[in-house]
Amino acid sequence: MNKRNFLSAVSLAVASLATGSAWADGNTFKIGLILPMTGQQATTGRQIEAAARLYMAQNGDTVAGKKIELIVKDDTSVPDVTKRVAQELVVNDKVNVLAGFGITPSALAVAPISTQSKTPQVVMAAATSSITEASPYIVRTSFTLPQASVALADWAPKNGIKKVVTLVSDYGPGIDAEKFFKERLTFNGGQVLESLRVPLRGPDFAPFLQKVRDIKPDALFVFVPSGAGAAVMKQFLERGMDKAGIKLIGTGDITDDDQLNDMGDGAIGVVTSHHYSTYHPSAANKKFVDAFQKANKGLRPNFMAVGGYDGMRVIYEALKATKGNGGGDALLAAMKGQIFESPRGPMFIDAQTRDVVQNIYLRKVERKEGQLYNVEFDVIKDVKDPGKAR
Ligand code: DHB
């Protein structure tokens, strides 16, 4: 090839690349899904990615004339990585929406980027109350710890649990759980004897549980993030806390459906409060669970999967409502106020707070059809995040 031919071949290639990407930008809708796919929170990433892919398989990958492109990035649940990945997704990939966020520090690290670039940030997992206040572009489809904790603090004193020790992971959601559980229990005439906090990374529960054994409360209230529940349960049982007359209670993160079935019969009878159980008895949930398990070698969807599935729904519906033409502000407006039936039950996105309003269920671990499940026995309907009222 002579020089001239070579140059024209190069310029042709460049031109076709340019038109290729112009075409892609005009006709694709990009969702940057940032998740912990490795490290301590990897189960959260696996659940949410599987749920997002299921939603796309069920609802198609073309919406309002746009081809949906899902770009999954692993942030290893290190907030500096989450931030860098979000920046790359916005600047280089020009994503239309950012989504995912396995832990609170990751969601918070990205909030300024969402605000500056006017990119809707759909929080599918992280659950500290204040997250939605960190950017006007944040919409949440998971839950909040105050939402889940208050229901349990109403249930406990009516069921013989007056003196409680709390044990939480020492960061946003744990501190929310500790605070809102204690306030409400005290209001209801109960008492928190001691509030213990364990590090988020590599926690050793043993010394804390020994302390709880010595204090001998009616119950131990626990919050640990998804994926850490089995370790707490194992040590609680190994130390014979249940036999010493101490009940285990907590938000549903502790009897996480991702792990529950492997926790053994020692988990039977544990009461928790949460927004989702795999065992939730509705036709919509049965359909969701069956399809999820079929697509994922029998993996049971947990509350993280539901946050991801519903988050995709919120994005799809916003794109439909804006007829495929929406920029960040139009999409955000179309996300606010969405109301629908989730596998968890009815839910909506509060237009004022951009946070999820949903039922909170009281559940007890039981063996059903040979498996351990969180079986719902009571419901508090349409719970707004109690953290927002102050
Ligand atoms: C958070 C993470 C979790 O895994 C969970 O179950 C609840 C809250 C969080 O970091 O916000």
Side-chain angles (χ1 to χ4, degrees):
M1 196 188 285
N2 65 30
K3 193 174 168 194
R4 196 161 162 192
N5 281 350
F6 174 76
L7 279 178
S8 67
V10 167
S11 60
L12 249 181
V14 168
S16 78
L17 253 183
T19 35
S21 71
W23 186 88
D25 283 343
N27 292 283
T28 59
F29 184 89
K30 296 182 184 175
I31 303 170
L33 186 61
I34 312 178
L35 295 169
M37 299 307 299
T38 54
Q40 197 175 285
Q41 257 62 47
T43 55
T44 296
R46 179 181 60 175
Q47 287 273 350
I48 295 179
E49 182 184 4
R53 296 206 186 280
L54 175 64
Y55 191 88
M56 291 180 69
Q58 290 175 331
N59 295 278
D61 63 358
T62 304
V63 179
K66 303 268 176 175
K67 178 115 171 100
I68 308 288
E69 188 185 333
L70 189 69
I71 308 174
V72 180
K73 298 279 182 188
D74 180 11
D75 69 358
T76 69
S77 81
V78 174
D80 283 345
V81 178
T82 321
K83 189 173 173 183
R84 178 173 53 72
V85 166
Q87 240 148 9
E88 287 167 6
L89 285 167
V90 167
V91 174
N92 301 341
D93 297 292
K94 305 201 167 31
V95 294
N96 301 87
V97 173
L98 290 163
F101 312 103
I103 57 169
T104 290
S106 295
L108 293 177
V110 172
I113 298 171
S114 306
T115 305
Q116 278 159 26
S117 64
K118 299 184 188 296
T119 309
Q121 179 183 348
V122 179
V123 174
M124 297 169 159
T128 301
S129 173
S130 63
I131 288 173
T132 43
E133 286 152 313
S135 166
Y137 287 86
I138 291 178
V139 168
R140 172 156 43 199
T141 58
S142 53
F143 74 110
T144 79
L145 266 303
Q147 219 171 27
S149 305
V150 162
L152 197 62
D154 283 338
W155 174 84
K158 289 187 233 149
N159 290 275
I161 297 172
K162 296 253 157 62
K163 293 186 185 338
V164 179
V165 172
T166 60
L167 174 65
V168 302
S169 288
D170 191 5
Y171 77 121
I175 291 159
D176 267 1
E178 176 191 286
K179 179 172 172 225
F180 281 82
F181 180 82
K182 180 178 178 173
E183 262 181 30
R184 189 66 157 238
L185 187 76
T186 309
F187 175 80
N188 288 329
Q191 201 185 346
V192 169
L193 302 176
E194 181 98 37
S195 296
L196 305 171
R197 296 180 182 177
V198 293
L200 170 62
R201 313 265 172 204
D204 176 11
F205 300 108
F208 295 96
L209 291 177
Q210 188 53 50
K211 194 157 183 196
V212 176
R213 228 198 127 118
D214 296 341
I215 301 169
K216 211 172 176 313
D218 298 327
L220 172 65
F221 168 90
V222 177
F223 165 80
V224 287
S226 183
V232 176
M233 184 72 77
K234 185 164 177 277
Q235 295 207 21
F236 185 87
L237 297 172
E238 273 174 11
R239 276 162 197 278
M241 312 274 287
D242 54 334
K243 298 202 175 68
I246 302 167
K247 290 198 169 67
L248 180 63
I249 57 174
T251 55
D253 313 71
I254 185 134
T255 54
D256 189 341
D257 273 303
D258 190 86
Q259 300 182 317
L260 179 61
N261 210 20
D262 298 324
M263 288 187 196
D265 284 356
I268 290 175
V270 171
V271 171
T272 56
S273 50
H274 228 209
H275 57 294
Y276 179 68
S277 163
T278 313
Y279 204 69
H280 178 66
S282 72
N285 185 48
K286 283 203 172 68
K287 194 172 154 234
F288 168 70
V289 173
D290 287 349
F292 188 96
Q293 295 199 306
K294 209 166 175 187
N296 296 284
K297 302 192 180 95
L299 177 69
R300 198 192 264 197
N302 70 357
F303 61 98
M304 293 301 185
V306 161
Y309 191 75
D310 293 335
M312 288 297 284
R313 185 195 189 281
V314 166
I315 297 167
Y316 266 50
E317 292 302 318
L319 185 55
K320 276 188 211 166
T322 56
K323 303 196 166 39
N325 297 318
D329 284 311
L331 285 168
L332 185 80
M335 289 179 181
K336 292 179 187 176
Q338 281 194 30
I339 177 164
F340 57 95
E341 189 188 356
S342 152
R344 71 187 86 180
M347 67 175 263
F348 71 92
I349 304 296
D350 185 326
Q352 245 94 55
T353 62
R354 293 162 277 102
D355 218 339
V356 54
V357 178
Q358 60 192 333
N359 294 347
I360 296 295
Y361 306 89
L362 286 157
R363 317 96 50 83
K364 184 184 269 180
V365 177
E366 290 179 31
R367 194 167 276 288
K368 293 273 183 189
E369 296 115 45
Q371 296 194 40
L372 294 179
Y373 284 107
N374 293 294
V375 179
E376 295 164 1
F377 64 85
D378 203 357
V379 57
I380 301 100
K381 291 202 169 145
D382 301 331
V383 182
K384 279 192 173 200
D385 172 31
K388 296 291 186 301
R390 24 196 79 216

